[in-house]
Each structure stands twice: as C-alpha cells, then as structure tokens.
C-alpha cells in the first residue's frame, strides 16, 4: 500500500507500528526485546485500540486535549501500561492540523479546558515526572492551579519544555519531527531507515526520558555511543544490549520517531521497499 492511499488515521497507526517493530532500536521494546511488564504485543494492541481517537483527530474537530485523553483511555485497557502517551501528544495535533504548519496553528487555539483534559489523561499513565515539577499531575490542586492561571495546553507544554523534548516540539514548531522526516527521505525506503533515523536523533539530542530516569550524564553518554555506532566505532547490537542491561530506554526519541514517520509517510516515503 502506498502512502497516498492511506487514511490519515491509518498512516498514524502505521507509524506507531513501524517504530516499535524496527530492530535493533537501542534500549526500547522492538521485535526482539520486551520489557518485563510491557511487550511488543502491548504496543501493537495500542495501535489498534487508538483508532477511534486517531480518526477523531484526523477530522479536525473537537478539542486537542480531550482527543489526547480519549487516546489514553482507549489504549489503557491492557496490562502493558502506557505505550504511546508521548506519541499522542505529537500525532494528534499533527493529524488535527493536517501537517506541521497546521499543527502549529492548531495548538495556539488550545485553552484551559484542553490543559485540564490533558492533565486528567496524564494522571492515568505511568509517565515519569520531573521531581521538581510544580504542576504535579497526581496533585488534585494542579487542576485548580491550571484554572486559576487560565493556562492553555500550549502554556503547559511551554512550562514542561525545558525538561521534556516531546513538549518542546510544541514550542519549537516540531523541529525534531521535521528533522526525522527529512532523514528518512535522505536515507530512502525500507525499515532500516527507521533505525538509522532513530540513531541519528539519539546521537544529537539528549533523550529527556533518560535524563528523568538516569540523569543527564547517562543521557549524554548514550548520545556519544549512538554517534560511535553511526561512525562505525561501536557495534549496534552491542550498544542495544548495553542499554537493555542498564535499563536505558530512549522513550522520548521513540515518540518523536513515530511523529517523523507519520510526516514522512504523508510526503511519499515508502516503508515496504
């Protein structure tokens, strides 16, 4: 199936599927690695369960924050925990706006109701928070504070951008998403392109999920090792095994990879060659 024959929702599902099946993708669940509590099947199931919310986003109607909440609830029905929360934060405005430019415009139209819906959805996940974040989703007072400040969902992302590269995409115009899609076009068709794009992003940006879990030094070491792989000075499979052993998973880069695949597919990038 060529990309121009897919619906927008199918393209999003395909992007989610291609990311998790790409191998080897250092430290993350893929076709050869599971986590103790989250398996490949959980990720694939979520791509199916999210379909109603993805179709809602593609319609360009409704509220972005609420649609993110719908996606979380629809995929929060298995024992594998959160699989795609960060991806939904990126995919849903991209789908809603019909691309990067439309997403930039759409997110400026978010309001406090979007922020509240987003925080309620966030509370349903097991996403790692920054310990210093004053707007803790597990604190009931956080919703009151959102309303008192009249914070939009874009404001929330601005608040989180310093410590979260997925939120940062909302602020910088989906810069890494765009870069990832460009890398796929440069590399060409096929599944190996996804791994190389993932590695390229990992080699140039400290993954904020790694920072939250292990600290900045480990994130920077991981960047350096990814660069060594790209330069031919480290074996990819060895790097993957090291990440798995140390519990280092670049989850934020994975989310951005999904968004980049989604954009590239819409621009004609072929996945099945």
């Amino acid at each position: 199936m060529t990309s121009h024959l897919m619906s927008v929702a199918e393209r999003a599902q395909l992007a989610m599927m291609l990311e998790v099946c790409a191998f080897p993708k250092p430290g993350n669940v893929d076709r050869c690695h599971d986590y103790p509590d989250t398996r490949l099947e959980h990720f694939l199931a979520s791509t199916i369960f999210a379909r109603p919310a993805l179709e809602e986003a593609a319609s360009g109607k409704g509220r972005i924050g609420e649609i993110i909440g719908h996606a979380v609830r629809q995929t929060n029905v298995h024992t594998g925990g959160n699989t795609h929360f960060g991806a939904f934060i990126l995919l849903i405005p991209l789908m809603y706006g019909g691309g990067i430019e439309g997403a930039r415009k759409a997110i400026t139209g978010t309001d406090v109701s979007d922020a509240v819906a987003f925080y309620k959805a966030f509370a349903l996940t097991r996403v790692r928070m920054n310990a210093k974040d004053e707007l803790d989703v597990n604190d009931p007072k956080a919703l009151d504070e959102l309303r008192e400040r009249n914070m939009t969902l874009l404001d929330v992302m601005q608040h989180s951008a310093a410590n979260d590269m997925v939120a940062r995409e909302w602020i910088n115009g989906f810069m890494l998403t765009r870069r990832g899609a460009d890398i796929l076009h440069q590399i060409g068709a096929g599944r190996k392109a996804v791994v190389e794009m993932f590695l390229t992003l990992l080699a140039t940006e400290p993954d904020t999920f790694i920072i939250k879990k292990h600290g900045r030094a480990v994130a920077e070491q991981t960047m350096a090792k990814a660069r060594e792989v790209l330069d031919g000075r480290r074996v990819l499979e060895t790097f993957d095994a090291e990440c798995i052993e140390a519990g280092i998973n670049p989850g934020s880069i994975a989310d951005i990879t999904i968004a980049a695949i989604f954009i590239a597919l819409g621009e004609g990038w072929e996945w099945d060659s």
Side-chain angles (χ1 to χ4, degrees):
M1 181 187 289
T2 55
S3 59
H4 70 276
L5 297 178
M6 291 182 230
S7 72
V8 175
E10 287 171 337
R11 182 156 38 102
Q13 288 178 296
L14 184 62
M16 294 163 69
M17 181 275 287
L18 289 172
E19 184 279 326
V20 75
C21 288
F23 169 81
K25 209 165 60 274
N28 285 341
V29 170
D30 56 33
R31 67 177 64 205
C32 295
H33 293 121
D34 293 326
Y35 296 153
D37 298 323
T38 309
R39 305 189 307 274
L40 174 68
E41 293 93 332
H42 290 125
F43 280 84
L44 296 177
S46 291
T47 71
I48 297 169
F49 295 146
R51 181 62 180 259
L54 297 176
E55 290 182 337
E56 188 180 4
S59 75
K61 300 176 182 177
R63 306 297 311 178
I64 288 176
E66 290 181 359
I67 299 171
I68 293 173
H70 295 164
V72 169
R73 287 174 176 83
Q74 288 161 15
T75 56
N76 201 25
V77 293
H78 53 64
T79 61
N82 164 65
T83 55
H84 288 103
F85 184 62
F88 293 144
I89 293 172
L90 299 175
L91 280 176
I92 285 170
L94 290 169
M95 298 171 73
Y96 192 96
I100 289 177
E101 290 303 318
R104 290 172 178 171
K105 181 178 179 181
I107 61 180
T108 64
T110 61
D111 62 17
V112 68
S113 72
D114 292 289
V116 169
F118 173 81
Y119 260 66
K120 288 180 177 178
F122 203 159
L124 296 175
T125 74
R126 291 183 288 179
V127 175
R128 185 175 291 269
M129 293 277 298
N130 187 292
K132 298 179 180 178
D133 198 326
E134 64 193 71
L135 287 170
D136 185 348
V137 296
N138 298 307
D139 182 356
K141 294 180 181 178
L143 293 180
D144 293 334
E145 191 167 354
L146 288 175
R147 295 185 180 102
E148 289 171 4
R149 295 190 193 182
N150 198 31
M151 292 180 71
T152 70
L153 187 47
L154 183 56
D155 292 333
V156 170
M157 296 302 172
Q158 178 73 63
H159 174 85
S160 303
N163 299 312
D164 190 304
M165 65 198 309
V166 171
R168 200 177 302 150
E169 288 292 279
W170 277 47
I171 307 307
N172 65 24
F174 296 84
M175 183 180 70
L176 291 182
T177 298
R178 178 69 266 167
R179 186 190 302 173
D182 290 342
I183 292 169
L184 287 176
H185 291 307
Q186 291 163 9
I187 296 169
R191 67 187 185 190
K192 290 184 178 179
V194 175
V195 174
E196 189 170 340
M197 182 260 281
F198 177 90
L199 279 170
T200 303
L201 293 181
L202 184 60
T204 54
E205 299 287 337
D207 186 284
T208 50
F209 188 78
I210 296 177
I211 292 174
K212 291 171 188 176
K213 190 174 179 182
H214 297 280
R216 177 167 288 274
V218 171
E220 292 178 350
Q221 290 166 10
T222 305
M223 283 175 57
K225 290 179 179 179
R227 172 50 58 192
E228 290 174 2
V229 171
L230 292 172
D231 292 343
R233 294 182 288 121
R234 182 179 292 267
V235 176
L236 175 56
E237 288 77 8
T238 301
F239 178 38
D240 186 21
E242 290 170 349
C243 289
I244 293 289
E245 177 68 23
I248 297 169
N249 56 311
S252 296
I253 297 288
D255 294 328
I256 294 169
T257 294
I258 291 172
I261 296 170
F262 171 77
I263 292 297
L265 286 169
E267 296 169 341
W269 179 75
E270 295 288 346
W271 63 276
D272 59 347
S273 298

